[in-house]
Amino acid sequence: MTQQGVRWTADQVLALAPDVASRKAGSKLGAAGPWSEAGSSDEGTVWGLCKGSGSKPYQTVVDIAEAAGPAYKCSCPSRKFPCKHAIGLLLLWAGGDGSVPTAKAPDWAEQWIAGRKKRAQEKGESGGGGSGSASADPEAARRRAERRAERVTAGATELEQRLADLLRGGLASAEQAGYGLWEETAARMVDAQAPGLAARVRELGAIPGSGPGWPVRLLEECALLHLLDQGWLRRERLPDGLAATVRSRVGLPASAEGPPVRDRWLVLAQYDTADAKLTTRRIWLYGAESDRIRLLLSYGAAGRAPELALPVGLALEAEVSAYPGAGQLRAALGEQFAPPAPAAIRPPGVTTARAAARYGEALRDDPWLDAVPVTLDRVLPIPDGDSWQLADADGDSALPLSPAARSRPGLWRLVALSGGAPVKVFGECGHRGFTPLTAWPQGAGEAVPLC
């Protein structure tokens, strides 16, 4: 399958940008002005020279036929992937106005393409060879797992004592102690090799300064943390699925053990969250035949976007394998049989009332779940005082938008897309409200990313 006849939309290209600044800068380079010697091949490669501030233009090449998402190479010094030049080149190619004609790749682009093909071939030849050291010595791996479980148990026991001390002294003491108390406790959980517990402890530290009603929110989060602690300490008594969920929430690594499911997977949404050390990319997929939603997670070190990037609205034929845990949607991307391509697939939608009920049902399997993926069918964005809500066009129920959604530019894109008419919206529904991620207009319109 070639990509030459397939043109992405500008929204699908911009969804690949690692941040807002790159999106804006790339948009400015999406015209023919700064580009020369641009071209594309039937094999799915796009290249071009972009005039910059230096004497030599930047050499930019993109492999759009890569099944796991585009791959990029640019001679600019940017550490972002894709950089603004790659985004601009893809926008120029997506325009389809003849600015990027079919041509023979120049030597500098051909060298990169040949290098990628060679590395892929070598990886394929060595992929079925030896196994890692962990699998080579299962007894050593078992002993390491036991030692880590002992450290996590010690950390969970210590955390239980600290929560008890907090409640015994009164929640007001948390405000007086400041963030240092929680950061020190989180560091202890890191030492215990329980990063999931550490992350939840750090979240507690921000609650006392979060405004009116913080004691209630702090008590709720302490209760969930206590529940997770107790789940770990009594994990042998739990059903297998719930025990796997507890291990995952505590932060123990797991591998995708579910049987591979081959399907045509629609890319529903892609967005990044970042802290000082790590960028996490979430990609939601919908299987057209299996009618399943799955979540792909990928990571990048601070300042660098994760490598996996799948344009929203495209579909790829691939296998995915689920991770263990009751109600868990996370999966690993396996063998890909074709690059992402435009598709008329749309996920089925539900009412706002059914979406809220679905979140409640999911909490039975995972009490620590913040939100579930849901597609709302025929909803209208409606202002609600200082906030917004999505109301059923054919009913009398609605879902409030989450605080995060109300602060994003995607809200206004959704309002403009609707124009007073019902739209189909995919997003995450949880106790903070609904966060729209992608929308489709009535008719046969393209998916519009909102994040």
Side-chain angles (χ1 to χ4, degrees), residues 133-149:
S133 58
S135 59
D137 190 351
E139 179 60 24
R142 184 189 64 80
R143 289 195 298 268
R144 286 194 297 270
E146 287 181 351
R147 289 194 297 269
R148 180 168 186 177

mmCIF file of all heavy atoms in Angstrom, residues 133-149:
data_model
loop_
_atom_site.group_PDB
_atom_site.id
_atom_site.type_symbol
_atom_site.label_atom_id
_atom_site.label_comp_id
_atom_site.label_asym_id
_atom_site.label_seq_id
_atom_site.Cartn_x
_atom_site.Cartn_y
_atom_site.Cartn_z
ATOM 1 N N SER A 133 17.705 -11.129 29.415
ATOM 2 C CA SER A 133 18.269 -11.795 30.574
ATOM 3 C C SER A 133 17.209 -12.201 31.568
ATOM 4 O O SER A 133 17.357 -13.204 32.265
ATOM 5 C CB SER A 133 19.295 -10.866 31.245
ATOM 6 O OG SER A 133 18.700 -9.646 31.628
ATOM 7 N N ALA A 134 16.116 -11.406 31.643
ATOM 8 C CA ALA A 134 15.082 -11.738 32.626
ATOM 9 C C ALA A 134 14.450 -13.089 32.309
ATOM 10 O O ALA A 134 14.216 -13.916 33.185
ATOM 11 C CB ALA A 134 14.035 -10.637 32.680
ATOM 12 N N SER A 135 14.154 -13.314 31.008
ATOM 13 C CA SER A 135 13.528 -14.575 30.641
ATOM 14 C C SER A 135 14.539 -15.713 30.628
ATOM 15 O O SER A 135 14.176 -16.870 30.750
ATOM 16 C CB SER A 135 12.852 -14.446 29.275
ATOM 17 O OG SER A 135 13.806 -14.083 28.292
ATOM 18 N N ALA A 136 15.858 -15.368 30.471
ATOM 19 C CA ALA A 136 16.874 -16.407 30.445
ATOM 20 C C ALA A 136 17.052 -17.028 31.830
ATOM 21 O O ALA A 136 17.486 -18.170 31.942
ATOM 22 C CB ALA A 136 18.204 -15.829 29.955
ATOM 23 N N ASP A 137 16.759 -16.300 32.867
ATOM 24 C CA ASP A 137 16.915 -16.806 34.227
ATOM 25 C C ASP A 137 15.643 -16.499 35.009
ATOM 26 O O ASP A 137 15.581 -15.531 35.767
ATOM 27 C CB ASP A 137 18.130 -16.165 34.891
ATOM 28 C CG ASP A 137 18.480 -16.834 36.225
ATOM 29 O OD1 ASP A 137 17.673 -17.660 36.688
ATOM 30 O OD2 ASP A 137 19.539 -16.529 36.789
ATOM 31 N N PRO A 138 14.590 -17.300 34.834
ATOM 32 C CA PRO A 138 13.312 -17.015 35.494
ATOM 33 C C PRO A 138 13.419 -17.049 37.011
ATOM 34 O O PRO A 138 12.699 -16.339 37.702
ATOM 35 C CB PRO A 138 12.382 -18.117 34.962
ATOM 36 C CG PRO A 138 13.294 -19.189 34.455
ATOM 37 C CD PRO A 138 14.513 -18.492 33.973
ATOM 38 N N GLU A 139 14.315 -17.848 37.560
ATOM 39 C CA GLU A 139 14.453 -17.916 39.014
ATOM 40 C C GLU A 139 14.998 -16.600 39.563
ATOM 41 O O GLU A 139 14.543 -16.102 40.598
ATOM 42 C CB GLU A 139 15.379 -19.072 39.397
ATOM 43 C CG GLU A 139 15.603 -19.218 40.903
ATOM 44 C CD GLU A 139 14.329 -19.467 41.680
ATOM 45 O OE1 GLU A 139 13.353 -19.973 41.090
ATOM 46 O OE2 GLU A 139 14.298 -19.139 42.888
ATOM 47 N N ALA A 140 15.978 -16.011 38.854
ATOM 48 C CA ALA A 140 16.515 -14.710 39.272
ATOM 49 C C ALA A 140 15.436 -13.632 39.168
ATOM 50 O O ALA A 140 15.331 -12.754 40.034
ATOM 51 C CB ALA A 140 17.722 -14.339 38.421
ATOM 52 N N ALA A 141 14.635 -13.702 38.099
ATOM 53 C CA ALA A 141 13.553 -12.728 37.944
ATOM 54 C C ALA A 141 12.538 -12.874 39.077
ATOM 55 O O ALA A 141 12.020 -11.872 39.598
ATOM 56 C CB ALA A 141 12.877 -12.917 36.587
ATOM 57 N N ARG A 142 12.258 -14.102 39.481
ATOM 58 C CA ARG A 142 11.306 -14.320 40.577
ATOM 59 C C ARG A 142 11.824 -13.737 41.888
ATOM 60 O O ARG A 142 11.085 -13.113 42.650
ATOM 61 C CB ARG A 142 11.037 -15.816 40.726
ATOM 62 C CG ARG A 142 9.975 -16.154 41.778
ATOM 63 C CD ARG A 142 9.918 -17.651 42.036
ATOM 64 N NE ARG A 142 11.164 -18.141 42.603
ATOM 65 C CZ ARG A 142 11.485 -18.019 43.887
ATOM 66 N NH1 ARG A 142 10.657 -17.402 44.741
ATOM 67 N NH2 ARG A 142 12.634 -18.493 44.335
ATOM 68 N N ARG A 143 13.134 -13.924 42.131
ATOM 69 C CA ARG A 143 13.707 -13.393 43.367
ATOM 70 C C ARG A 143 13.689 -11.868 43.372
ATOM 71 O O ARG A 143 13.408 -11.243 44.404
ATOM 72 C CB ARG A 143 15.142 -13.902 43.538
ATOM 73 C CG ARG A 143 15.232 -15.399 43.870
ATOM 74 C CD ARG A 143 16.611 -15.749 44.376
ATOM 75 N NE ARG A 143 17.634 -15.485 43.376
ATOM 76 C CZ ARG A 143 18.078 -16.382 42.495
ATOM 77 N NH1 ARG A 143 17.557 -17.607 42.482
ATOM 78 N NH2 ARG A 143 19.030 -16.066 41.633
ATOM 79 N N ARG A 144 13.958 -11.261 42.212
ATOM 80 C CA ARG A 144 13.903 -9.794 42.132
ATOM 81 C C ARG A 144 12.490 -9.298 42.396
ATOM 82 O O ARG A 144 12.278 -8.289 43.082
ATOM 83 C CB ARG A 144 14.395 -9.322 40.768
ATOM 84 C CG ARG A 144 15.898 -9.412 40.574
ATOM 85 C CD ARG A 144 16.333 -8.612 39.345
ATOM 86 N NE ARG A 144 15.747 -9.150 38.122
ATOM 87 C CZ ARG A 144 16.324 -10.097 37.382
ATOM 88 N NH1 ARG A 144 17.499 -10.611 37.763
ATOM 89 N NH2 ARG A 144 15.750 -10.514 36.271
ATOM 90 N N ALA A 145 11.508 -9.989 41.829
ATOM 91 C CA ALA A 145 10.117 -9.591 42.043
ATOM 92 C C ALA A 145 9.723 -9.711 43.514
ATOM 93 O O ALA A 145 9.007 -8.857 44.055
ATOM 94 C CB ALA A 145 9.191 -10.436 41.170
ATOM 95 N N GLU A 146 10.203 -10.748 44.177
ATOM 96 C CA GLU A 146 9.894 -10.924 45.600
ATOM 97 C C GLU A 146 10.516 -9.819 46.450
ATOM 98 O O GLU A 146 9.880 -9.290 47.363
ATOM 99 C CB GLU A 146 10.380 -12.294 46.070
ATOM 100 C CG GLU A 146 9.548 -13.460 45.558
ATOM 101 C CD GLU A 146 10.060 -14.790 46.070
ATOM 102 O OE1 GLU A 146 11.168 -14.808 46.673
ATOM 103 O OE2 GLU A 146 9.362 -15.807 45.872
ATOM 104 N N ARG A 147 11.771 -9.471 46.123
ATOM 105 C CA ARG A 147 12.431 -8.405 46.886
ATOM 106 C C ARG A 147 11.726 -7.070 46.684
ATOM 107 O O ARG A 147 11.552 -6.293 47.630
ATOM 108 C CB ARG A 147 13.904 -8.299 46.474
ATOM 109 C CG ARG A 147 14.761 -9.461 46.953
ATOM 110 C CD ARG A 147 16.239 -9.126 46.814
ATOM 111 N NE ARG A 147 16.629 -8.923 45.424
ATOM 112 C CZ ARG A 147 17.085 -9.891 44.627
ATOM 113 N NH1 ARG A 147 17.193 -11.134 45.088
ATOM 114 N NH2 ARG A 147 17.443 -9.630 43.391
ATOM 115 N N ARG A 148 11.289 -6.818 45.467
ATOM 116 C CA ARG A 148 10.575 -5.564 45.223
ATOM 117 C C ARG A 148 9.241 -5.560 45.947
ATOM 118 O O ARG A 148 8.845 -4.541 46.527
ATOM 119 C CB ARG A 148 10.355 -5.344 43.725
ATOM 120 C CG ARG A 148 9.619 -4.045 43.448
ATOM 121 C CD ARG A 148 9.627 -3.640 42.012
ATOM 122 N NE ARG A 148 9.036 -2.323 41.841
ATOM 123 C CZ ARG A 148 8.962 -1.685 40.681
ATOM 124 N NH1 ARG A 148 9.470 -2.239 39.588
ATOM 125 N NH2 ARG A 148 8.401 -0.489 40.609
ATOM 126 N N ALA A 149 8.533 -6.683 45.931
ATOM 127 C CA ALA A 149 7.242 -6.751 46.634
ATOM 128 C C ALA A 149 7.426 -6.488 48.124
ATOM 129 O O ALA A 149 6.594 -5.823 48.756
ATOM 130 C CB ALA A 149 6.606 -8.124 46.403
#
